[in-house]
Amino acid sequence: MRYNKQELAALASHTSQSFDREGILVLKEKQDSFFRRSEGSTVRWFRLKGNLLFYMKGPEPWYEPVGVIILGQHQVKVQGQDENGHWPFQIVWENGICYRMATFNESERTLWLKAIQMAPYDVMLSQIVTLKEKLNRIRPIVDITTYRLQKGIVADMNEVPLCELAISCDNLLCDAHGKPPSPLIVLYVRYHKGFCVKYGTTEIVETCSNPSFSKTILFRASDGLTGDALVRLVVYDVKERVSETAVPMGFTSLTLSTIQEAQRLRVALMTRDNKTVGFVTMNGWSLEPSYIGTSPIHTNDRNSIDIPQKVLCHRRSQSLPPRLGLKLKFPSYGNLLKQNFVNSHQVTYRFHSGLGGDITVHEIMAEPKVCYQIPIQLLDIYIEREKELLEELLSVGELSGHWQSRQLDLASTHISLLKNYCHSKRCLQEADHAHFKASNDPSLEFAPTNLHLQRMWVHNDTLNKTGFHDVVTAGAFAAHSHKAERTGGLIRLVQQVKDINSTKAALNSATANKIQTEYDNVIALRKLREDVVTDMDRIVVLLQAKQNADVINTLEGIKAKVKSMLRLWEPSVFEESLAIIGWPTSSCGEESEKLAMSAILRLTEQLSMFEQPSSDCDTFDASSSSSSKETSPTGDSPSLSSSVPNICPNNCPKSTRDSIKDIVEGSELQFHNDYFNSDERNRLNHSFRSVRSPVKSKLNDSHSLSFDANKTRHGSLRNDFKSSASLEQVSYRCLMDSLSGKKTSKKETLSSIGNVDSTTRANNLAYLKTIGANVELNLITVVDAVTRAVETDNGVSEEQFDGVKTVMWQFKQSAEVLVRWVRVSHAALRLRCEASAWARENAALQARRDTCFSQALSTATAGLLCWFCSVPGDVVVKLLSSDLGPLCGFEGLLSLYSSEKAMWGDMVVAVEDLQTVVFTLTKVGHSNSSVPHVSGSRGALTVYIPISDSLYSKFTNKEHLSFTITAVFFNIGVNEKATLAEALGETTPQYHSNSDNLDRLNKYYHKYNKIFLADYVAASRGSSRTKPLEEVMENLRIAVHKKVPKNIEVLHLAALATRLMNGIRFTSCKSAKDRTGMSVTLEQCAVLGSEYHLAEHEMRKALGIMRSEGCRRENTYKNIGVRKYAFTKKQVMALPEEYRPPAGTYGSSQT
């Protein structure tokens, strides 16, 4: 243990210190001389302070200290009186160290022994615990947070407080050396039953006898407070901030009603000895609601609720000092935010503006409900997708040879994905906390880490300006189960798949495009069939209502859709795929059925272990599937799902290889920037693109093939198979031979079409053509029956109704058969071209990508909810009506070193994937939910965002209710690992990524300028000190291309540009706890300075108070149970100066 010699000497020499015991002792110590070494006795003056036993150079107290003995884990041995008349005793440790001392009389020794026995730290600690227990039995004191948990009180951000209290002190006594105290005020509330609660604290003001505290305290009626509640203010002098050592100075007590009625009080601070140690001034405001229309403070504010609301003001009092005599407002957050954000923590401040007025600040941190809701809904979509692909794969039926083993391998891949998804869903449903995932909880991977809304409401009465400023904070969108790896994360893995120099990757991508096109045909056919079935049901209703004109129009639509179905039906292509692997069969005996069921049990054993009895995943039923990829048949870059295969060229026939060659030569492939290879990047020189399939920006296009997931799915294989054997029995017939040892009559391999008899092939092709012909024939029959019913003059009879329903049922059955064979053909193509090893690799990549995307989508949805509740309605309508959509600015503080490099790579891809999601606005009503929900498929997701009725009514064109976002991600590492990464030259990928995101932001900026002209932007800035947007973008361009260490200017300018373009701000680091806390508080103070004229001398003070007493300090407690940022002293020194926490707020802890 190391000690500071000067501080110890000062502690031993201070005469003002009250020592536990001091006096003369005889110390026996070794004395060295030039000729011999002997032992002698020296009379010295000893002082005991805590567990430190000091001894001086001589026998008087004014001698200088020469040594100190640290007491603890020692033994005291007592001896009888010696020959000198002294009363000796020894202090002995286990390591052999021994101090021998003596007193001049026995009573003196007894007193010293008692004091030494009580000196060790563990003894003092046990005494403190005992005294606290006794005190709590006499007067129990709990923290307000604990009290609310015990009573089940939920803090409501919309609640109007009974009173707001601002405190200042004057004439606080200095110590004996004239040093002013470092005051801290703790406020206790005693209820009428004698129960005492630690209700609130102020910040610590360093060495000041006349402090004015910026942090205010709100009294809430929901805590059970009434006017009879006794409020006690205790002033402490903080001696040491790191250990939170404080000494009480004085206190005063008065009732809450006295504070409310007087509004301004100056009372004396008294000690228990009735001595005055100073005065405290309390300024209290009882807030009263006064209803007006649209508050005038919102006219200059671009981040406010543009609807009539209640504005809350205090009663004006002439007794208030000039700085406090301002009309203060209280924010109204609205019911929509209240329904979507819970467990809010609120801190209030009052700072000084440069114009001599006051700035009221409310800082709120709340948990979004979407933290678990969105991931669970996404997992349902992923699970249904895997079930559907598994059913398609097994619908091929009985196979032989290596086709059978390949089928089993691919099925096992789907089952492992299902097991992973189902387990993750169950963990989310059974999570301990309903809406919050702590940073030290790695089990809930699909949920974002430490997701919170950080909202600041500011009011400057002098400027007549009020506004909301939101930042959504979350941990990096990463698969934390891979945090030990040293790769570049998802971005590196995706780039390897899209590597333009790899022939193997090119062939894989080409084959993937071919299979994706085949799968798009499946989706298109299913969608068309569903639309036709819906239209036929509608015709029945219209016939009953005798609306013949609508019947004819609907019938024409059915004809067009059936023609589209038949254009997608290619019997020759399907026959070729099935001829290679063998045709499915549906005939089986009783023994075969038993063997098939045993195979089912084997394959589904792992999955059933993770399922609840009522789960949707107990069977592989895709009858309500909503997880298909809904895109029109194109050759776009495929999604990295298990349905996007890779190819082993040696396993493909020559015709397949030739077709792959044609695709490679005839299609334009899209690739990512290789951020890890600068030469490759310079040669490609184009932006990183998501490999998720692009989606259409409009969902109401009548020709779009995207579908509503709420509709019943009629094309499932469970309805397709009408044989005596069940679906699973037929599907798993490919496994029966291997389980029973039965030999098949087919050849072991069917590697080429030539192995199948030409006559059989001709018969099969004729059968497939018959399926299309039956659909066309049934359509003609339906059209004739409906036409006859319409032309009947006397109305449609019951017989005609039955006839129409019968022919419609026949058409539905024939269409089901057609869709079933298309799905079988898609599965056959996968078996031909998709190698098992590559399928497993892609499955792992898909699971990781889904994990990161789920976190990103939950975070973005939370940000959009706040955005629609804070941005003026006219700005929202103007942005969405121009097809531009909101800007989402993601800020990263990750270092490209060690595990955080992989996190950065994961987050780059996750943010990129957000731009493929369509967001649709819904009106909150009796039938609509006020909580966002997700529907669609993996490649065509739609998130429905609820908005207020007043905002919804402003959209004249309902097509503008659907939009996509523009997401940009700028990352700059700031910690000590970032220093290492820069020293090792590892930050080049970060530089390239920031440059690409700058290009995207510039494109958005130019579009934004066309919508919001420069005059409008200047008017919206009003009295702001903020630089013009054009200047900010130019400075950002310069900063991004400036290669300097820890270039935090990029983050500041990107955040400012996002705010100036009415964007949504997101901030992330590894856990969104420590570095994120520093960044968020710095941004809040920057907003106060630029937008609300916070005085220059108040900037550092406001920053320190927000970091030491604000919501981010509470965030550390929620995550790790300690109210300290997880920085060591060396780590703090490595941070940029603006990102360093105040002394006493950090310490070595888990992160």
Side-chain angles (χ1 to χ4, degrees):
M1 187 180 296
R2 302 178 63 182
Y3 299 94
N4 189 303
K5 181 179 178 181
Q6 286 77 14
E7 289 187 2
L8 285 176
L11 179 62
S13 303
H14 275 183
T15 57
S16 62
Q17 294 287 346
S18 57
F19 295 99
D20 300 328
R21 183 158 188 82
E22 57 181 329
I24 296 176
L25 289 177
V26 179
L27 178 62
K28 295 183 178 181
E29 54 187 345
K30 295 179 180 179
Q31 298 177 346
D32 296 334
S33 65
F34 186 77
F35 296 102
R36 62 179 180 175
R37 187 177 185 182
S38 61
E39 188 176 79
S41 299
T42 307
V43 179
R44 298 185 185 275
W45 187 269
F46 278 77
R47 283 175 171 165
L48 179 63
K49 180 66 175 178
N51 62 343
L52 302 177
L53 181 59
F54 298 98
Y55 53 92
M56 309 299 169
K57 194 172 183 179
E60 300 296 337
W62 54 78
Y63 280 96
E64 63 176 330
V66 295
V68 61
I69 302 172
I70 311 298
L71 300 177
Q73 298 182 352
H74 62 268
Q75 293 181 354
V76 179
K77 296 181 179 180
V78 181
Q79 300 173 349
Q81 188 177 18
D82 61 11
E83 64 277 3
N84 297 323
H86 298 158
W87 296 86
F89 63 92
Q90 299 179 4
I91 304 176
V92 185
W93 281 265
E94 293 180 355
N95 58 4
I97 296 177
C98 175
Y99 287 91
R100 289 180 290 177
M101 295 174 244
T103 61
F104 292 102
N105 55 68
E106 187 176 7
S107 60
E108 188 77 11
R109 184 178 71 172
T110 303
L111 294 175
W112 272 107
L113 291 178
K114 185 177 180 181
I116 292 173
Q117 192 70 28
M118 301 300 294
Y121 175 76
D122 52 352
V123 176
M124 288 189 289
L125 186 62
S126 63
Q127 284 181 322
I128 291 173
V129 172
T130 304
L131 291 173
K132 281 185 177 180
E133 291 176 354
K134 290 182 179 179
L135 184 62
N136 286 335
R137 285 194 294 268
I138 300 171
R139 186 195 62 184
I141 299 177
V142 297
D143 187 82
I144 183 60
T145 304
T146 307
Y147 174 76
R148 287 170 179 165
L149 288 174
Q150 292 174 351
K151 298 293 184 179
I153 300 172
V154 179
D156 183 4
M157 63 178 72
N158 284 322
E159 180 186 359
V160 180
L162 294 173
C163 178
E164 182 178 1
L165 185 64
I167 306 172
S168 61
C169 295
D170 60 277
N171 297 314
L172 295 179
L173 291 181
C174 301
D175 62 12
H177 297 278
K179 180 181 179 182
S182 297
L184 161 72
I185 293 183
V186 180
L187 191 144
Y188 299 92
V189 173
R190 183 190 290 274
Y191 290 83
H192 61 280
K193 295 182 179 179
F195 192 72
C196 191
V197 175
K198 182 180 177 181
Y199 202 79
T201 63
T202 64
E203 75 274 14
I204 302 171
V205 180
E206 292 287 348
T207 58
C208 182
S209 293
N210 302 289
S212 178
F213 299 98
S214 297
K215 183 182 176 183
T216 61
I217 297 171
L218 299 180
F219 294 94
R220 298 180 179 274
S222 60
D223 294 327
L225 294 178
T226 61
D228 299 333
L230 184 65
V231 179
R232 169 172 287 197
L233 282 79
V234 182
V235 180
Y236 291 89
D237 180 13
V238 179
K239 299 295 185 182
E240 208 279 316
R241 298 189 66 160
V242 176
S243 60
E244 299 179 350
T245 303
V247 178
M249 295 182 63
F251 67 92
T252 186
S253 300
L254 62 167
T255 61
L256 180 59
S257 59
T258 304
I259 299 175
Q260 289 179 284
E261 293 170 2
Q263 294 190 356
R264 184 176 186 270
L265 288 173
R266 183 175 182 267
V267 295
L269 292 168
M270 309 298 293
T271 64
R272 292 192 177 275
D273 300 332
N274 290 326
K275 294 180 180 179
T276 302
V277 295
F279 298 89
V280 61
T281 302
M282 291 171 282
N283 301 285
W285 303 281
S286 297
L287 301 172
E288 296 178 342
S290 58
Y291 185 82
I292 62 172
T294 301
S295 170
I297 59 175
H298 292 288
T299 57
N300 293 335
D301 177 38
R302 61 183 180 85
N303 288 325
S304 61
I305 304 175
D306 191 24
I307 57 174
Q309 56 179 314
K310 288 185 177 181
V311 179
L312 305 167
C313 337
H314 75 82
R315 295 193 299 266
R316 180 68 178 269
S317 173
Q318 297 299 326
S319 62
L320 292 175
R323 193 164 48 83
L324 298 175
L326 302 173
K327 182 190 291 186
L328 299 183
K329 301 288 191 295
F330 190 82
S332 176
Y333 297 100
N335 290 326
L336 199 58
L337 277 181
K338 179 182 176 181
Q339 293 169 349
N340 285 280
F341 294 88
V342 294
N343 299 332
S344 61
H345 179 78
Q346 186 173 15
V347 183
T348 55
Y349 313 96
R350 183 173 46 83
F351 301 117
H352 307 319
S353 70
L355 302 177
D358 275 2
I359 302 174
T360 304
V361 179
H362 287 214
E363 186 185 20
I364 288 181
M365 181 181 69
E367 302 169 5
K369 287 185 177 180
V370 297
C371 180
Y372 289 168
Q373 292 173 350
I374 296 294
I376 289 176
Q377 294 171 20
L378 280 176
L379 283 169
D380 286 335
I381 293 175
Y382 297 156
I383 288 170
E384 292 301 326
R385 158 82 167 185
E386 294 306 316
K387 287 181 185 177
E388 178 185 326
L389 290 175
L390 181 61
E391 282 195 357
E392 284 188 4
L393 189 64
L394 299 177
S395 66
V396 177
E398 181 181 358
L399 298 175
S400 60
H402 73 280
W403 300 116
Q404 175 179 320
S405 60
R406 180 174 291 188
Q407 184 184 27
L408 180 59
D409 289 341
L410 294 179
S412 300
T413 302
H414 288 299
I415 288 177
S416 64
L417 279 174
L418 278 169
K419 181 180 72 172
N420 177 38
Y421 292 149
C422 292
H423 176 66
S424 299
K425 178 183 174 183
R426 184 174 180 182
C427 288
L428 289 171
Q429 292 171 334
E430 297 177 353
D432 295 334
H433 198 291
H435 312 292
F436 169 66
K437 173 190 170 184
S439 61
N440 56 0
D441 186 358
S443 60
L444 309 172
E445 271 207 318
F446 278 79
T449 300
N450 194 15
L451 176 62
H452 281 92
L453 164 65
Q454 182 81 16
R455 163 164 282 203
M456 183 177 68
W457 176 84
V458 191
H459 168 69
N460 187 323
D461 197 66
T462 307
L463 298 176
N464 193 26
K465 186 174 183 181
T466 290
F468 289 108
H469 301 273
D470 298 333
V471 179
V472 178
T473 63
F477 311 142
H480 294 280
S481 58
H482 300 83
K483 64 182 180 181
E485 68 179 16
R486 296 293 188 267
T487 66
L490 263 178
I491 188 172
R492 189 66 178 269
L493 298 174
V494 171
Q495 286 168 350
Q496 289 173 356
V497 173
K498 309 293 288 183
D499 185 5
I500 195 171
N501 290 327
S502 172
T503 305
K504 189 175 184 180
L507 289 172
N508 291 337
S509 180
T511 306
N513 283 333
K514 182 177 180 180
I515 294 182
Q516 185 60 50
T517 303
E518 183 77 17
Y519 188 69
D520 289 337
N521 290 341
V522 175
I523 298 304
L525 281 169
R526 289 182 60 183
K527 172 60 179 174
L528 288 169
R529 178 192 171 278
E530 289 171 7
D531 290 345
V532 169
V533 169
T534 303
D535 289 345
M536 287 184 174
D537 294 339
R538 184 168 179 265
I539 283 178
V540 174
V541 176
L542 293 174
L543 284 175
Q544 292 176 337
K546 298 181 180 181
Q547 298 179 7
N548 295 338
D550 292 338
V551 170
I552 298 300
N553 293 334
T554 306
L555 198 60
E556 292 299 323
I558 290 177
K559 291 180 183 177
K561 291 172 184 176
V562 173
K563 288 181 180 178
S564 299
M565 290 178 65
L566 295 175
R567 280 197 297 269
L568 294 173
W569 175 250
E570 300 176 356
S572 59
V573 176
F574 301 153
E575 189 276 333
E576 179 182 346
S577 295
L578 293 172
I580 295 176
I581 66 170
W583 275 61
T585 178
S586 59
S587 60
C588 59
E590 183 179 353
E591 185 67 23
S592 300
E593 294 180 6
K594 294 181 180 179
L595 293 173
M597 292 307 295
S598 66
I600 295 171
L601 293 177
R602 287 192 180 188
L603 277 176
T604 58
E605 181 179 3
Q606 297 181 43
L607 180 63
S608 62
M609 292 170 60
F610 294 91
E611 278 302 289
Q612 298 177 355
S614 61
S615 175
D616 296 331
C617 310
D618 288 336
T619 62
F620 296 118
D621 182 6
S623 59
S624 60
S625 174
S626 60
S627 54
S628 302
K629 186 159 188 150
E630 296 295 334
T631 54
S632 57
T634 61
D636 290 336
S637 302
S639 66
L640 290 176
S641 66
S642 57
S643 69
V644 180
N646 287 275
I647 178 174
C648 181
N650 296 331
N651 292 336
C652 293
K654 183 177 184 300
S655 61
T656 305
R657 291 198 295 270
D658 293 340
S659 63
I660 292 171
K661 182 178 179 181
D662 295 338
I663 295 175
V664 172
E665 293 175 352
S667 64
E668 181 182 356
L669 302 178
Q670 303 291 342
F671 299 96
H672 300 283
N673 272 343
D674 189 352
Y675 294 143
F676 298 91
N677 187 340
S678 57
D679 295 336
E680 182 67 27
R681 181 187 182 280
N682 293 333
R683 193 164 67 82
L684 292 175
N685 194 23
H686 53 73
S687 295
F688 174 86
R689 282 192 55 179
S690 172
V691 293
R692 286 179 178 267
S693 295
V695 295
K696 296 183 179 180
S697 60
K698 302 298 176 189
L699 297 183
N700 52 359
D701 187 356
S702 60
H703 302 290
S704 173
L705 294 180
S706 60
F707 61 90
D708 186 358
N710 296 324
K711 295 180 181 178
T712 306
R713 301 285 168 233
H714 302 280
S716 71
L717 290 179
R718 192 169 295 280
N719 296 324
D720 293 338
F721 280 88
K722 300 299 179 182
S723 63
S724 59
S726 66
L727 166 67
E728 287 83 358
Q729 291 169 342
V730 175
S731 300
Y732 282 97
R733 198 162 317 286
C734 60
L735 309 176
M736 293 190 300
D737 296 338
S738 61
L739 294 174
S740 61
K742 174 184 175 182
K743 294 184 179 180
T744 64
S745 59
K746 292 189 177 183
K747 297 181 181 180
E748 286 298 314
T749 59
L750 294 171
S751 57
S752 67
I753 300 178
N755 291 338
V756 182
D757 182 72
S758 58
T759 304
T760 304
R761 289 196 60 194
N763 293 336
N764 292 339
L765 180 59
Y767 171 72
L768 292 176
K769 290 181 179 179
T770 303
I771 294 174
N774 288 340
V775 172
E776 192 171 3
L777 180 63
N778 287 327
L779 174 65
I780 295 173
T781 307
V782 171
V783 171
D784 291 342
V786 172
T787 304
R788 286 196 302 271
V790 170
E791 293 174 352
T792 303
D793 297 331
N794 299 328
V796 184
S797 63
E798 291 293 331
E799 292 183 0
Q800 285 180 315
F801 263 122
D802 293 339
V804 169
K805 292 179 180 178
T806 300
V807 295
M808 285 183 176
W809 181 84
Q810 292 174 352
F811 175 84
K812 294 175 185 178
Q813 295 302 311
S814 61
E816 282 180 3
V817 173
L818 184 143
V819 172
R820 176 233 166 178
W821 280 104
V822 173
R823 295 179 67 185
V824 170
S825 173
H826 171 253
L829 186 62
R830 288 187 61 198
L831 287 171
R832 288 168 52 196
C833 303
E834 190 168 356
S836 301
W838 282 103
R840 285 191 294 270
E841 291 180 8
N842 279 337
L845 180 60
Q846 169 189 316
R848 180 168 183 171
R849 191 168 189 176
D850 290 342
T851 299
C852 303
F853 176 72
S854 173
Q855 299 172 17
L857 184 61
S858 303
T859 305
T861 304
L864 284 168
L865 276 171
C866 303
W867 190 73
F868 285 110
C869 293
S870 57
V871 175
D874 57 340
V875 175
V876 173
V877 174
K878 203 167 185 179
L879 267 177
L880 300 190
S881 300
S882 61
D883 293 333
L884 187 57
L887 173 66
C888 294
F890 290 86
E891 173 184 310
L893 299 162
L894 299 168
S895 61
L896 266 69
Y897 180 80
S898 187
S899 61
E900 288 192 15
K901 187 174 185 179
M903 292 182 183
W904 173 83
D906 287 354
M907 191 166 178
V908 169
V909 176
V911 171
E912 193 76 22
D913 287 342
L914 286 175
Q915 298 178 109
T916 66
V917 181
V918 172
F919 296 89
T920 300
L921 303 181
T922 59
K923 181 169 62 174
V924 177
H926 298 292
S927 58
N928 294 330
S929 171
S930 60
V931 179
H933 66 279
V934 185
S935 66
S937 63
R938 179 189 298 279
L941 289 172
T942 302
V943 181
Y944 294 92
I945 307 288
I947 58 174
S948 62
D949 293 348
S950 58
L951 178 58
Y952 190 89
S953 61
K954 291 185 178 183
F955 287 91
T956 56
N957 188 348
K958 301 309 178 185
E959 290 185 1
H960 297 150
L961 293 173
S962 297
F963 62 92
T964 57
I965 64 172
T966 300
V968 293
F969 174 47
F970 293 93
N971 184 86
I972 297 292
V974 296
N975 63 356
E976 77 286 353
K977 292 184 178 179
T979 307
L980 286 173
E982 288 167 351
L984 297 173
E986 297 288 331
T987 57
T988 302
Q990 172 183 281
Y991 173 80
H992 293 157
S993 175
N994 290 345
S995 299
D996 287 340
N997 281 277
L998 174 64
D999 295 339
R1000 181 179 301 151
L1001 184 62
N1002 265 323
K1003 292 178 182 177
Y1004 185 92
Y1005 160 67
H1006 292 307
K1007 294 179 182 177
Y1008 183 88
N1009 263 355
K1010 294 178 181 178
I1011 301 170
F1012 298 94
L1013 301 177
D1015 295 339
Y1016 178 89
V1017 176
S1020 66
R1021 291 174 59 234
S1023 60
S1024 173
R1025 298 173 179 172
T1026 307
K1027 297 177 181 179
L1029 178 57
E1030 181 181 2
E1031 182 180 345
V1032 172
M1033 291 301 298
E1034 178 61 22
N1035 292 341
L1036 178 61
R1037 183 190 64 80
I1038 296 172
V1040 166
H1041 294 102
K1042 190 189 303 180
K1043 295 186 177 181
V1044 297
K1046 296 184 180 178
N1047 190 8
I1048 57 176
E1049 186 183 5
V1050 171
L1051 302 180
H1052 301 165
L1053 291 171
L1056 179 57
T1058 302
R1059 292 199 304 269
L1060 290 177
M1061 288 188 280
N1062 294 292
I1064 312 171
R1065 286 281 299 113
F1066 302 87
T1067 301
S1068 297
C1069 64
K1070 182 178 180 181
S1071 61
K1073 178 170 55 68
D1074 307 308
R1075 283 169 282 175
T1076 298
M1078 301 300 104
S1079 174
V1080 166
T1081 50
L1082 180 62
E1083 182 173 348
Q1084 289 180 167
C1085 287
V1087 170
L1088 290 176
S1090 61
E1091 298 286 336
Y1092 299 95
H1093 295 193
L1094 180 66
E1096 293 292 336
H1097 65 276
E1098 289 271 301
M1099 287 289 292
R1100 293 300 304 175
K1101 174 185 174 183
L1103 187 59
I1105 292 173
M1106 285 185 174
R1107 288 175 176 173
S1108 60
E1109 303 295 333
C1111 294
R1112 302 314 301 184
R1113 190 87 180 269
E1114 182 67 21
N1115 183 268
T1116 63
Y1117 181 77
K1118 288 179 67 173
N1119 282 275
I1120 60 176
V1122 179
R1123 285 186 174 86
K1124 286 188 181 294
Y1125 302 109
F1127 296 122
T1128 63
K1129 193 170 183 178
K1130 291 182 178 179
Q1131 288 174 330
V1132 169
M1133 296 307 296
L1135 294 172
E1137 187 175 356
E1138 301 95 320
Y1139 289 81
R1140 294 176 184 174
T1145 62
Y1146 61 90
S1148 180
S1149 182
Q1150 70 181 116
T1151 182

